[in-house]
Amino acid sequence: MSELAVEITRGGHVESRAYADVAVVDSLGHIRYWLGDPQRPTFWRSSAKPFQALPVVLAGGTSQYHFTTEEVAMICASHGGEPEHVKTVAGLLSRIGATPEDLACGVHAPSYGPAAHDLEAKGIAPSPLHNNCSGKHTGMLTLAKVLGVPFEGYENPSHLVQQKIRESIAKMTGVDQSALQTGIDGCSVPTFFLPLARMAYAYARLVDPRGLEEPWQVGSTLIAEAMRLHPYLVSGTGRLEVTLAEATAHRFVAKLGILSF
């Protein structure tokens, strides 16, 4: 059962309360701290993006197409559709021989207000590049390219790209593939329904992968460092990841579970 996490008062009276479930897990899988129900299952949504990007690294996509650490951060992103985000995604698509039309994430205006207002002022319609999940989907197209399978249908659970991602989720969370439950995310790809503690365990292993086999250690380290160094590309101006980085001299890896549109 969720517990009271935040209480906001105004004029000496309680105005609102927020309840939460929290799990803090170490890289051995031990729950160290918790609030409410640390085993509460929920959809992982955008916080799963580093683990959806991991198969791209393991398959050799980031080395074959010479990804910079900025570009690795981009395929883990829920970005705001700012010009640098759009430019980075477009550059990656061009490099793998894909176009914005190959992205199955859909179209929405930039979530960063000034970028949306700028497009509107110029009379430019948003494109799939502005979707907050376009970086993740570009990573998936890169994986398809490296695996030698078609781009078409890469968002479907039966496609080899999503099967490789399913393997990654199972590996990093310690949940058997046969037990993984999924739904469809707002950007059309599978999203995983897991206990909070399993999600926290995956992040602990991402930043401390010593118990994993060497390829998984290397891949996890690359993704964690890219996210730590480039939080603006993972999110955008004024967002949680950037704020945490500025407050802690880039000591943490953070990923907000922003909703897809």
Side-chain angles (χ1 to χ4, degrees):
M1 185 174 183
S2 301
E3 291 188 26
L4 180 64
V6 178
E7 188 171 80
I8 300 173
T9 61
R10 188 186 303 274
H13 301 283
V14 175
E15 181 178 58
S16 61
R17 295 185 176 98
Y19 292 80
D21 297 299
V22 178
V24 179
V25 180
D26 64 25
S27 60
L28 297 177
H30 300 140
I31 299 176
R32 304 299 295 270
Y33 306 97
W34 67 92
L35 183 71
D37 180 7
Q39 300 293 352
R40 177 185 173 181
T42 189
F43 283 107
W44 210 354
R45 302 299 304 270
S46 288
S47 292
K49 287 179 179 179
F51 309 99
Q52 292 168 305
L54 189 51
V56 185
V57 180
L58 293 172
T62 54
S63 56
Q64 181 175 332
Y65 289 99
H66 308 290
F67 278 41
T68 63
T69 55
E70 290 89 346
E71 290 167 337
V72 173
M74 198 74 244
I75 64 173
C76 302
S78 296
H79 65 78
E82 298 178 53
E84 187 173 349
H85 300 144
V86 172
K87 179 181 178 181
T88 303
V89 173
L92 284 174
L93 286 172
S94 176
R95 200 178 310 156
I96 65 172
T99 70
E101 287 68 36
D102 292 310
L103 296 171
C105 55
V107 178
H108 65 68
S111 57
Y112 181 60
H117 297 327
D118 185 58
L119 287 184
E120 185 176 3
K122 294 176 179 177
I124 300 173
S127 79
L129 296 173
H130 296 97
N131 186 298
N132 79 90
C133 293
S134 64
K136 174 180 76 173
H137 281 251
T138 298
M140 293 176 180
L141 290 175
T142 304
L143 181 57
K145 188 82 170 184
V146 173
L147 295 174
V149 295
F151 289 159
E152 185 178 1
Y154 75 87
E155 73 278 15
N156 296 326
S158 60
H159 195 281
L160 185 57
V161 164
Q162 299 304 327
Q163 292 299 308
K164 290 294 184 182
I165 289 172
R166 188 179 180 89
E167 291 174 13
S168 171
I169 298 295
K171 177 74 171 181
M172 296 299 286
T173 61
V175 177
D176 190 88
Q177 284 197 60
S178 63
L180 286 176
Q181 300 180 57
T182 62
I184 300 301
D185 214 335
C187 65
S188 80
V189 299
T191 181
F192 296 86
F193 189 73
L194 295 162
L196 291 173
R198 294 293 91 195
M199 302 177 194
Y201 179 43
Y203 269 93
R205 302 179 94 186
L206 186 72
V207 298
D208 181 14
R210 287 175 292 178
L212 296 169
E213 295 89 342
E214 185 175 354
W216 291 83
Q217 288 190 35
V218 173
S220 295
T221 299
L222 175 60
I223 286 176
E225 285 301 285
M227 294 177 68
R228 184 179 65 81
L229 293 170
H230 307 293
Y232 168 75
L233 291 172
V234 174
S235 56
T237 301
R239 297 266 291 279
L240 172 66
E241 295 87 342
V242 175
T243 302
L244 283 174
E246 291 172 346
T248 62
H250 291 259
R251 295 178 63 184
F252 293 106
V253 172
K255 179 68 189 73
L256 186 70
I258 191 172
L259 297 178
S260 298
F261 291 83

